[in-house]
Amino acid sequence: MSVFLVTGATGKVGRETVDQLLELGHRVRALSRAPEEAALPQEVEVVAGSPADPASLRAAFAGVSAALVVLSGDVGGEAAQVADAARAAGTERLVLLSSGGIEHPLPHGIAHEHRAAETAIEGSGVPWTFLRPGPFHANTSWWISTVRDAGAVRCWIGNNPGAPIDEYDIASAAVVALTEDGHLGKSYLLTGPQTLTSQEQARILGEVLGRDLKFSVAPPDEVVEVFTGITGDRAAAESNVAALHSPEVPWARPTRWVRDLTGREPRTYRQWAVENAALFR
């Protein structure tokens, strides 16, 4: 029986992918930095380690036929470690959770990091598929504290139109790429079904909560300071903020790929808001 490995298995996309693979009856292995805190289903084989630890990767990839690669931190460096382990193990396919930012016309740090990851996976010689989602519906979880405390949304990414995607749909696309033929050597720009501004998302969230939420956009200089405080890299913060505030984002309009891959319509932001309303109350 084939073994499917998921790195980042406790994150939003990784955990959903684990659940969907299990529902289809597949054998799943998860790589976790803290197995005792992973809280994964009992059927999952959990291996301690991370994509930054070559020894744990060798153990995790042993006998694996295909893997969903979800990375954090030094994305390019971790991808190189994963590529080496997958090649040595004879893994038959890698599905990388990359970023739609790679297709952005403006150079920025997020694109640079994920392009380095894609290059490393391509260089492994292991057949690959790249998933390039735009912003997640779950990114609006950033608004939780201000919605709870002040009935307000303070948006960090501007108010340009985009088609955000549900992590459930990203996971569904990953499962198809992992388990079905016809997707090797392909890159998919994944979006949700609707073009929405951040203000329209805030309006939908307010309707679901039964509240009239105040909306404002943080000026780019403020966001640069916040991002720099998180990463310590001002140049990357400036380039990332410029890209996020640009009207030329690749996910400005819905793409067909979730529908083509899964055979169903992607989930709407309203569905996400209904399912996660308790977070904001």
Side-chain angles (χ1 to χ4, degrees):
M1 185 178 184
S2 296
V3 178
F4 294 92
L5 173 66
V6 178
T7 75
T10 58
K12 292 179 174 64
V13 174
R15 177 55 194 267
E16 187 59 56
T17 302
V18 167
D19 290 344
Q20 292 187 33
L21 285 169
L22 290 176
E23 288 173 6
L24 293 172
H26 295 295
R27 182 179 169 192
V28 180
R29 182 180 297 163
L31 182 68
S32 173
R33 290 177 170 85
E36 67 282 357
E37 301 173 7
L40 291 165
Q42 187 175 0
E43 308 96 301
V44 178
E45 178 190 358
V46 183
V47 176
S50 79
D53 177 4
S56 67
L57 285 173
R58 286 194 293 271
F61 270 96
V64 164
S65 57
L68 172 64
V69 182
V70 183
L71 305 171
S72 61
D74 177 11
V75 173
E78 290 184 358
Q81 300 281 14
V82 167
D84 288 344
R87 179 175 57 246
T91 299
E92 297 171 4
R93 68 178 70 179
L94 294 172
V95 177
L96 174 68
L97 181 61
S98 185
S99 169
I102 282 184
E103 302 188 24
H104 202 297
L106 294 181
H108 60 288
I110 295 171
H112 175 76
E113 293 170 359
H114 286 88
R115 189 172 291 111
E118 290 191 0
T119 299
I121 296 298
E122 284 179 309
S124 71
V126 179
W128 52 266
T129 304
F130 297 149
L131 304 181
R132 296 174 173 174
F136 296 5
H137 287 161
N139 287 0
T140 56
S141 299
W142 297 339
W143 302 343
I144 288 173
S145 61
T146 56
V147 169
R148 283 179 175 175
D149 298 341
V153 165
R154 181 74 161 168
C155 184
W156 288 1
I157 62 170
N159 196 36
N160 291 312
I165 185 169
D166 199 289
E167 55 270 23
Y168 179 90
D169 292 322
I170 303 171
S172 296
V175 169
V176 170
L178 286 166
T179 62
E180 299 182 12
D181 294 332
H183 307 290
L184 299 180
K186 295 183 179 179
S187 302
Y188 296 115
L189 178 63
L190 303 177
T191 72
Q194 302 167 283
T195 298
L196 298 168
T197 63
S198 296
Q199 187 169 14
E200 287 169 334
Q201 285 183 284
R203 175 185 55 76
I204 292 168
L205 179 61
E207 290 172 356
V208 169
L209 297 174
R211 302 177 67 183
D212 185 12
L213 301 179
K214 299 175 184 177
F215 178 83
S216 62
V217 175
D221 289 349
E222 177 184 327
V223 184
V224 167
E225 292 300 326
V226 172
F227 284 6
T228 302
I230 294 171
T231 67
D233 188 338
R234 177 171 292 275
E238 290 174 346
S239 66
N240 288 337
V241 170
L244 289 170
H245 282 250
S246 166
E248 301 176 13
V249 293
W251 50 84
R253 289 174 293 278
T255 66
R256 60 187 245 214
W257 295 118
V258 170
R259 185 183 306 107
D260 285 3
L261 289 166
T262 68
R264 59 167 175 77
E265 291 295 319
R267 292 185 173 193
T268 65
Y269 179 69
R270 184 178 294 275
Q271 287 174 280
W272 184 92
V274 169
E275 292 175 3
N276 293 276
L279 297 174
F280 298 86
R281 291 192 170 116

